[in-house]
Amino acid sequence: MACDIGREKIDAYLDGELPSAEASSLSAHMRTCPECAADALAHVQTKRAVAAAGKRYEASAQFRDKIAKLAAARSSDTKAVARPRFNWQWILLAPALLILAVALGVNFYSGRETARRQRVYSELADLHVSTLASATPVDVVSTDRHTVKPWFQGKLPFTFNLPELQGTDFTLLGGRVTYLAQTPGAQLIYQIRKHEISVFIFQDRGPETSLPTGSTNAASFNLQTWTQNGLRYFAIGDVGLSDIEALSKLLQGAG
Amino acid sequence: MEVPDQRLSPATFEALAIPLFDQLYNFAHWLTQDTAEAEDLVQETYVKALRGFSSFQAGTNFRAWMYRILRNSFLSSRTGLKTTVEFDEQDHDTVGAAPSNPESVLLDRANRELVQQALTELPVHFREILLLCEVEEMSYQEIAETLSVPAGTVMSRLSRARKALRGLLASRLQGKTYGV
C-alpha cells in the first residue's frame, strides 16, 4: 500500500489488540486514507466469513452424553478420595472463600453471559448483512403480508402475525427461512427510506435465543428484541433506534 | 476465562470444562478432519485435563489450558505426526503476490463452503490460529498460551495465515462468478 501503515497493524486494530492511543490515531488515519479503509473493510469481511465458516462441526448427542458422564463420574470418584485429605485450617477461611467464590462466580457468569449475548448479536448482524448482500435476499418476494405469512406454513414449526403497514413509512419486501444456533426461524425484510431492517422470529427456547428484552447496539446496527406469544423477535438494521422501535411496536400490535 | 483462585474441586472442573465441549469438538474436527478421530481427541483431552486438574494453576486461563491439551494431544497423535507442523517463523510466505479482493463475495452464505474448503486446505498451523482468533475469538494472549508461543509470534503468524487464506480464496474465485 502507498502509506506506511502495515496490514499487520490494521489486523491488530480490528482484532481489538492495538493499544487505545494507537487505535485512535489509526482510526483517524483511516478516515482520510481510502486505501487503508478499503483494506480494513476487506479484513472485516474475511473475519466474518471465517467466523461463520469455522463453526462447522457438531458432535453427536451420544458423544456429548459420553463426555458429560465421564466428567461427572470422575468428579464423584475423586471427591470420595479427596475427602480424607481435607485440611481443617480451611474452615477458618471458609466464609471469606465463599464470598470470594460467589463474587467471582457472578463475575465469571456475567462475563460469559455478555460474551454469549455478543455472539448472538453479531450472528444476527451477520445474517442481516449477508442476506442483503445476497443476489436473492428473500425467498418469498411480496409486499403483501397475506402472501408472506402463509408462505412460511410447513416451513416453520410455529406461526406469527404480521402488521398492516398502510399509513406507515414501512414496506414489507419479503421473507426467508433462516437459522440461529441450529434453530429455524423467519427473517422478514422491511424497508424504510431505502434502509432495510431484518426482523427475525424464533421460538423462544434454548439459551441461544433467550436474551434480555430491550434495545442495543451491535456492530453499529441498532437492535431491539422482545418476546411475545412464546416467540422471540429481533429487529435489526442500520436505521435509527426510533425507526426500529416504531417497527417493533407495529409487530407487537399485530402479534 | 480466568479461573478464580479457589480450591479446585473436581466439580469445578465439570462446571468449567463441559461448557467448552462444543467448541473443543469443532476445533478437534477441524484439526483431524475426521469424526472418529475428533471424538477420540476430545475424549483424550477431557481425561488428561481431569487427571491434571489438580496441577492446573488457579488464576490462569482455563480455556487456553484446555485447548493446549487438545492441541498437544493432536500433535502427538498419528494424524498429528503426519501433519508436519514444522515451520520457520521467519520464512513461511508460501503464498505469492497478495490477491486482488476476494472478500467482496464472501458474505454470501452460499460461499461458506468455499471458505471451509480453503480452511481445510491451509496448513494446520495456519488453520488453527485462524480458528482460535475468528471462531473462538481468543485474544492474542490467549492464543499465545494455547499455542505456547510468544505473543509477537501470534501476530505475525496470524498475518501470514490471513494472507495464505486470501491467496487460496483468490485462486479459487478466479474465473468463477459467484452470485452476489
Side-chain angles (χ1 to χ4, degrees):
Chain A
M1 62 185 70
C3 66
D4 58 357
I5 310 267
R7 184 171 175 112
E8 225 172 78
K9 195 166 177 181
I10 295 180
D11 279 351
Y13 170 71
L14 293 166
D15 291 338
E17 296 278 349
L18 217 52
S20 60
E22 270 187 82
S24 48
S25 78
L26 181 58
S27 158
H29 167 76
M30 280 197 288
R31 267 178 238 129
T32 56
C33 174
E35 204 176 345
C36 283
D39 208 33
L41 178 67
H43 171 110
V44 169
Q45 288 171 328
T46 313
K47 269 179 88 71
R48 286 198 164 170
V50 173
K55 288 173 199 138
R56 182 180 194 183
Y57 301 110
E58 214 177 322
S60 68
Q62 294 95 308
F63 183 58
R64 175 190 303 273
D65 283 353
K66 189 177 173 185
I67 295 295
K69 279 191 193 121
L70 180 117
R74 292 295 187 96
S75 300
S76 46
D77 283 351
T78 334
K79 253 182 246 159
V81 179
R83 203 168 290 131
R85 283 187 290 170
F86 183 76
N87 186 338
W88 64 271
Q89 284 173 334
W90 283 101
I91 291 173
L92 303 174
L93 281 171
L97 281 174
L98 185 68
I99 294 167
L100 183 71
V102 169
L104 289 166
V106 168
N107 254 335
F108 174 63
Y109 175 76
S110 68
R112 267 185 27 202
E113 191 51 24
T114 315
R116 186 181 66 76
R117 272 181 224 162
Q118 278 310 321
R119 269 203 305 280
V120 177
Y121 290 148
S122 61
E123 178 75 3
L124 289 168
D126 280 355
L127 283 172
H128 174 66
V129 172
S130 58
T131 304
L132 298 185
S134 158
T136 49
V138 286
D139 293 329
V140 48
V141 186
S142 172
T143 55
D144 180 10
R145 63 190 169 124
H146 298 300
T147 306
V148 173
K149 185 190 155 184
W151 181 84
F152 284 102
Q153 269 175 15
K155 296 186 177 73
L156 293 175
F158 59 88
T159 181
F160 49 86
N161 289 324
L162 295 178
E164 173 59 55
L165 296 174
Q166 214 160 33
T168 71
D169 293 334
F170 295 101
T171 322
L172 177 62
L173 297 184
R176 65 198 283 270
V177 174
T178 189
Y179 288 86
L180 177 71
Q182 285 90 45
T183 309
Q187 180 178 11
L188 303 155
I189 313 281
Y190 286 91
Q191 193 174 50
I192 180 167
R193 296 185 301 275
K194 302 209 168 158
H195 289 275
E196 278 88 17
I197 300 173
S198 284
V199 173
F200 295 96
I201 309 174
F202 298 95
Q203 277 173 304
D204 191 26
R205 62 175 188 202
E208 287 295 343
T209 53
S210 65
L211 290 175
T213 299
S215 11
T216 187
N217 187 289
S220 302
F221 291 107
N222 279 311
L223 182 144
Q224 174 136 37
T225 177
W226 70 95
T227 52
Q228 135 186 14
N229 302 334
L231 299 175
R232 164 65 63 173
Y233 286 68
F234 300 94
I236 184 167
D238 62 350
V239 291
L241 195 55
S242 56
D243 285 329
I244 299 273
E245 279 170 353
L247 181 60
S248 303
K249 277 219 180 71
L250 285 167
L251 284 152
Q252 283 159 10
Chain B
M1 197 179 190
E2 295 269 307
V3 174
D5 191 4
Q6 54 182 296
R7 201 167 175 80
L8 297 169
S9 75
T12 318
F13 173 79
E14 195 184 346
L16 290 170
I18 290 301
L20 293 174
F21 173 78
D22 288 313
Q23 19 185 148
L24 284 169
Y25 179 82
N26 182 51
F27 189 62
H29 203 146
W30 270 111
L31 291 182
T32 57
Q33 300 289 315
D34 180 84
T35 306
E37 281 187 53
E39 290 189 351
D40 287 349
L41 184 54
V42 170
Q43 183 167 339
E44 191 182 341
T45 304
Y46 274 87
V47 170
K48 279 185 184 168
L50 193 54
R51 207 182 294 142
F53 192 53
S54 53
S55 67
F56 170 75
Q57 293 211 321
T60 56
N61 190 308
F62 182 74
R63 180 165 70 149
W65 184 69
M66 287 293 282
Y67 272 87
R68 192 161 67 240
I69 295 174
L70 189 147
R71 184 174 174 271
N72 289 342
S73 307
F74 168 70
L75 292 181
S76 55
S77 73
R78 216 148 34 111
T79 315
L81 288 171
K82 268 189 278 172
T83 327
T84 38
V85 195
E86 45 174 70
F87 44 90
D88 184 357
E89 289 302 339
Q90 299 308 314
D91 180 28
H92 206 84
D93 272 344
T94 46
V95 183
S100 52
N101 185 7
E103 291 86 354
S104 53
V105 299
L106 296 185
L107 280 178
D108 191 333
R109 292 179 91 76
N111 286 326
R112 184 183 277 213
E113 273 179 31
L114 187 81
V115 182
Q116 287 173 340
Q117 190 53 41
L119 280 172
T120 310
E121 283 175 28
L122 278 181
V124 77
H125 62 285
F126 282 167
R127 192 190 314 148
E128 66 178 4
I129 201 168
L130 281 171
L131 292 168
L132 294 177
C133 180
E134 315 296 21
V135 179
E136 302 313 331
E137 295 175 13
M138 283 191 182
S139 67
Y140 288 2
Q141 184 53 43
E142 259 185 296
I143 298 176
E145 284 177 35
T146 302
L147 304 183
S148 310
V149 297
T153 307
V154 171
M155 199 163 157
S156 53
R157 195 183 295 172
L158 248 181
S159 177
R160 284 195 300 276
R162 283 171 169 149
K163 194 175 168 194
L165 180 73
R166 279 163 63 85
L168 278 176
L169 289 171
S171 63
R172 295 191 150 261
L173 288 169
Q174 241 165 24
K176 204 169 177 186
T177 315
Y178 283 83
V180 187

